[in-house]
Amino acid sequence: MNMHDRPQAQPGLDWASRNQQWLAAQFAALRLRLARQLRDTSANAEPPPPECGDDFEPALDALTKLFGLSAFERDVVLLAAGVELDSALRRLVGVAMAQAPEAIASTQPTFNFAMQMLTEPHWDALSPLRPLRRWHLIACEGREAPPRRPIQIDERVLHYLTGVAAMDARLIGLVRCEPVGSIEPDAPQANTIAHALGTGAAALATLGHARGEIEPQRDLARAALACLGANGLWLHARDLPHDPRELAEIARLLDREAALSDAIIALELDRPIEAADGEAHAMTLIAHLMGPAIVLNAPEPARLSRLRQRRMLRLQVADAPAAARQVAALRGLTREQAAALRPALRQFDVPAADLRLVVTEALAETQGDPARLGPAVWRLCRAAVHGGLDALAQRIDSRVGFDDLVAPPVVTAQLRVIANELQHRPRVHGDWGFAAHNGRGLGTAALFAGESGTGKTYAAEAIASAAGLDLYRIDLASVVSKYIGETEKNLSRLFEAAETSGAILLFDEADALFGKRSEVRDSHDRFANIEIAYLLQRIETYRGLVILTTNMKSALDRAFLRRIRYVVQFPYPDAAARETLWRMQFPADAPLGEVDFAGLARLQLTGGNIRAIALNAAFLAAAGGGERIEQDAINAAVRAEFAKLERPWPGVGP
């Protein structure tokens, strides 16, 4: 129980008032004892201090239990506090110190004085290993021998004895104290942690999260502290000192503060990928701590080997259910505002803390207008989930719409069907129950087949633009590894990072990874086939769209093709399509001369080739000092492109 929440002893008299009265009576009794030993007749007889009932425990008695003080050590603390708070006791101590053999003119008692004046004295009370000095309950500084040094009570301990809420000044800026929160009605993991921490001083709960999200871990730690009825002392590994001696001292102060504040220490590390320095300092601190503690973003078990003396509980924290996060995010909104937010909340798996910020920012930006609120939340949610995937793949800024595509109507219709599925997935899978009915096969996979430059990547951009989702190109060179099992690990990281956003994943030239499976001749062949099977399984369970492009559809495994929902064949553009492509490549601001588009359309080129020629022609015209992009510059760019393709120049143009 926290000392500031003690039950009231009398009607109208709270614990703090009664503790103050009790402490004053203790000082009066101590004055009388000292006066009798000094034969000081000026001290009036005082009544004995009141007895404590079952409904009241004074702070000094609580301190005695917390740190295991002997009767003599308890009186030393009382004496040191008394000379600070009781002027009559301070004067009496000054008189006694002047009469002592060492004749020190001081009102601050020494340990020798305490040994002579207090009952049941023992010399080992001065040892650095005993509670008085180990827990810094008193300060005993100076150049003299320890028994002759002045005894002074620690400021934090004095505040505790008087019932004043405080924190050790040496921890301010390093530690944040959070009062105990309310207990969640259904928190089995929190109860597990609370039980583990309540079993003894050496208990340690280590928490982790698959994506390193800190807020779910904080929520679980707070719920566990609430189950214990304990406050939280929160600190971060990055703020710890580097010197081992300073770390040991901080650990001692933290243990003392946790005891005085009825608190549990909660130490946060950075995400494991960023925790190199902070982790080492954190492990040193935890090794010195004696009380129970919680570690967030804890390292892997193998890196906790130096903490073997701890009884350790390791938990992987799950995100709060998406439905619960949505309910929390929609709380306090009107029905129209909630309806505007739901599409974005169902599409993006935003952590609870970030989601609250997103909704707050969107409401401020749109002034709560439901018509503008939906697009704003969608945009902010989309930006909030970028982080993890940006480190693993290349994000493509999609600026192409379906109207910009030059493709046969049947191809455009197929692409629109795919985009429509992305837009209506929450309704079909969630509202209509298809996801709950069958969790497998919910992913959408599409294969775009066709020669290079026929518009496969442009089509992926058009789908991303229509669905309002991010498009990421996967670099196969960074995924495929010659080392057994590494490709599977890389794919796992990729899909886990993508899950939060449901982004569109584009595997370019997929035949390099998804080609026909080989006969098993050695362990490498066996693991290669396992990795392909693993990828197919992840594609089927991924809640977004996976697009695979290939120049050679025939090179793909038939078993793989059977598991693809959509196969779109991109044909070589005909003459009419090529003329449209030629005309589209030159912006409205480009100074275009007389160009024979019909003649250029007879060239057997793809859209990718045409885009490259148009850009090269513009640079040739600019370098030649011309005011316009003439046919000659385009012809020169065409010759260069045919040379690159190792094809003869057909001589089109004037």
Side-chain angles (χ1 to χ4, degrees):
M1 182 181 294
N2 191 299
M3 64 167 294
H4 305 300
D5 299 321
R6 308 288 184 188
Q8 293 185 4
Q10 305 172 17
L13 191 63
D14 60 14
W15 177 89
S17 299
R18 190 171 182 187
N19 180 73
Q20 185 177 359
Q21 292 180 2
W22 182 91
L23 192 59
Q26 290 289 321
F27 293 152
L30 181 58
R31 284 200 312 268
L32 181 60
R33 287 162 54 191
L34 295 181
R36 285 173 178 170
Q37 293 190 57
L38 295 171
R39 293 182 173 83
D40 186 348
T41 58
S42 64
N44 297 323
E46 297 281 353
E51 295 293 332
C52 298
D54 294 337
D55 62 345
F56 171 68
E57 183 183 46
L60 180 58
D61 287 358
L63 187 80
T64 300
K65 291 179 182 179
L66 283 174
F67 299 105
L69 303 182
S70 67
F72 172 67
E73 290 166 334
R74 175 188 182 277
D75 282 350
V76 169
V77 172
L78 181 66
L79 174 64
V83 297
E84 299 292 340
L85 300 174
D86 189 294
S87 58
L89 180 60
R90 183 165 57 251
R91 285 193 299 272
L92 191 60
V93 169
V95 171
M97 291 290 293
Q99 298 175 5
E102 55 264 30
I104 300 175
S106 173
T107 58
Q108 208 71 40
T110 63
F111 188 74
N112 273 341
F113 177 86
M115 288 286 293
Q116 295 167 10
M117 296 294 180
L118 303 179
T119 57
E120 302 180 35
H122 52 95
W123 278 103
D124 67 337
L126 193 59
S127 167
L129 300 180
R130 289 290 299 174
L132 289 180
R133 294 183 65 190
R134 174 177 177 77
W135 297 114
H136 300 293
L137 304 183
I138 62 170
C140 188
E141 306 296 338
R143 297 182 178 180
E144 301 87 353
R148 300 180 60 189
R149 295 174 187 170
I151 294 173
Q152 188 170 8
I153 193 165
D154 182 88
E155 181 182 4
R156 175 66 180 95
V157 177
L158 185 63
H159 287 149
Y160 179 85
L161 293 179
T162 55
V164 175
M167 178 184 286
D168 193 302
R170 289 161 288 190
L171 296 178
I172 294 176
L174 177 67
V175 177
R176 183 182 76 258
C177 185
E178 285 189 4
V180 60
S182 58
I183 300 177
E184 294 293 330
D186 183 21
Q189 280 192 316
N191 288 320
T192 300
I193 296 172
H195 177 74
L197 295 178
T199 57
L204 179 68
T206 64
L207 309 183
H209 188 276
R211 298 191 305 274
E213 298 289 351
I214 195 65
E215 201 60 35
Q217 300 177 62
R218 288 174 181 158
D219 290 342
L220 179 57
R222 290 186 178 106
L225 295 177
C227 292
L228 279 169
N231 301 312
L233 291 180
W234 293 80
L235 68 158
H236 202 288
R238 74 168 71 96
D239 298 326
L240 295 174
H242 296 182
D243 183 76
R245 290 188 178 183
E246 290 185 58
L247 282 171
E249 183 64 16
I250 289 295
R252 188 176 305 183
L253 293 175
L254 282 170
D255 274 328
R256 191 187 74 169
E257 187 62 40
L260 296 178
S261 301
D262 194 13
I264 300 290
I265 297 163
L267 174 62
E268 292 184 14
L269 276 69
D270 282 311
R271 295 181 61 176
I273 195 172
E274 306 160 353
D277 288 337
E279 180 185 305
H281 307 319
M283 293 304 99
T284 300
L285 178 76
I286 296 169
H288 285 294
L289 287 174
M290 296 183 64
I294 305 174
V295 180
L296 288 69
N297 268 340
E300 294 300 319
R303 293 153 71 181
L304 298 173
S305 57
R306 64 184 297 187
L307 306 177
R308 289 175 183 169
Q309 77 278 11
R310 288 275 193 171
R311 291 191 300 276
M312 197 176 305
L313 170 68
R314 181 171 178 81
L315 288 176
Q316 194 72 4
V317 182
D319 288 321
R325 277 178 279 158
Q326 290 178 22
V327 170
L330 298 177
R331 191 175 293 125
L333 301 182
T334 67
R335 181 176 300 179
E336 292 78 11
Q337 290 173 334
L341 261 65
R342 281 197 180 92
L345 301 185
R346 293 194 295 187
Q347 172 62 41
F348 301 102
D349 188 13
V350 183
D354 295 340
L355 190 55
R356 288 192 290 269
L357 294 175
V358 162
V359 173
T360 301
E361 184 176 348
L363 288 170
E365 179 182 313
T366 63
Q367 298 180 344
D369 180 7
R372 299 161 53 207
L373 188 59
V377 170
W378 187 282
R379 172 175 50 80
L380 293 171
C381 284
R382 180 174 168 181
V385 295
H386 277 163
L389 197 53
D390 277 347
L392 301 170
Q394 177 194 0
R395 180 152 50 96
I396 298 176
D397 186 12
S398 304
R399 299 181 181 179
V400 178
F402 285 121
D403 293 340
D404 300 314
L405 295 181
V406 179
V410 64
V411 171
T412 305
Q414 285 180 289
L415 299 177
R416 290 186 183 275
V417 168
I418 297 173
N420 289 336
E421 177 171 327
L422 289 178
Q423 292 173 326
H424 297 295
R425 280 172 62 89
R427 185 181 185 191
V428 173
H429 288 170
D431 299 344
W432 292 0
F434 275 78
H437 180 69
N438 182 10
R440 293 194 60 189
L442 298 180
T444 304
L447 176 69
F448 291 177
E451 293 189 33
S452 295
T454 52
K456 300 186 293 295
T457 302
Y458 259 44
E461 291 187 42
I463 292 174
S465 296
L469 297 173
D470 288 319
L471 173 65
Y472 284 88
R473 178 188 284 118
I474 312 304
D475 180 9
L476 291 176
S478 66
V479 173
V480 179
S481 173
K482 65 179 180 180
Y483 298 104
I484 292 174
E486 281 300 311
T487 301
E488 184 175 340
K489 291 180 182 178
N490 294 338
L491 290 170
S492 176
R493 285 195 293 268
L494 179 70
F495 278 99
E496 285 175 2
E499 280 291 346
T500 59
S501 64
I504 299 173
L505 304 181
L506 176 64
F507 287 85
D508 238 344
E509 299 180 3
D511 40 277
L513 184 59
F514 310 105
K516 294 180 180 178
R517 284 177 278 191
S518 61
E519 296 180 6
V520 177
R521 291 186 294 271
D522 56 28
S523 61
H524 286 276
D525 291 335
R526 183 173 70 255
F527 276 97
N529 290 342
I530 290 173
E531 287 163 349
I532 293 171
Y534 173 79
L535 174 63
L536 295 176
Q537 177 251 326
R538 289 307 302 259
I539 289 176
E540 288 182 337
T541 57
Y542 178 55
R543 68 186 188 91
L545 169 65
V546 176
I547 298 176
L548 308 122
T549 71
T550 180
N551 301 336
M552 297 181 294
K553 180 182 172 184
S554 59
L556 297 178
D557 191 336
R558 286 185 175 275
F560 170 68
L561 288 174
R562 284 197 298 270
R563 298 165 81 168
I564 299 294
R565 291 273 303 281
Y566 300 99
V567 177
V568 182
Q569 186 69 44
F570 287 78
Y572 205 94
D574 58 18
R578 291 196 295 270
E579 183 170 350
T580 302
L581 286 169
W582 274 109
R583 294 182 182 277
M584 289 175 57
Q585 300 316 307
F586 296 96
D589 293 337
L592 199 60
E594 294 293 329
V595 178
D596 181 9
F597 286 112
L600 292 171
R602 291 195 293 272
L603 298 173
Q604 296 294 316
L605 294 168
T606 64
N609 301 137
I610 294 172
R611 281 189 292 275
I613 292 170
L615 186 61
N616 289 339
F619 278 108
L620 288 172
E627 295 297 325
R628 299 192 302 176
I629 305 172
E630 302 288 357
Q631 184 73 42
D632 289 343
I634 296 175
N635 288 345
V638 168
R639 292 189 189 94
E641 188 70 15
F642 271 83
K644 182 181 72 176
L645 298 173
E646 298 182 350
R647 290 166 52 186
W649 159 243
V652 175

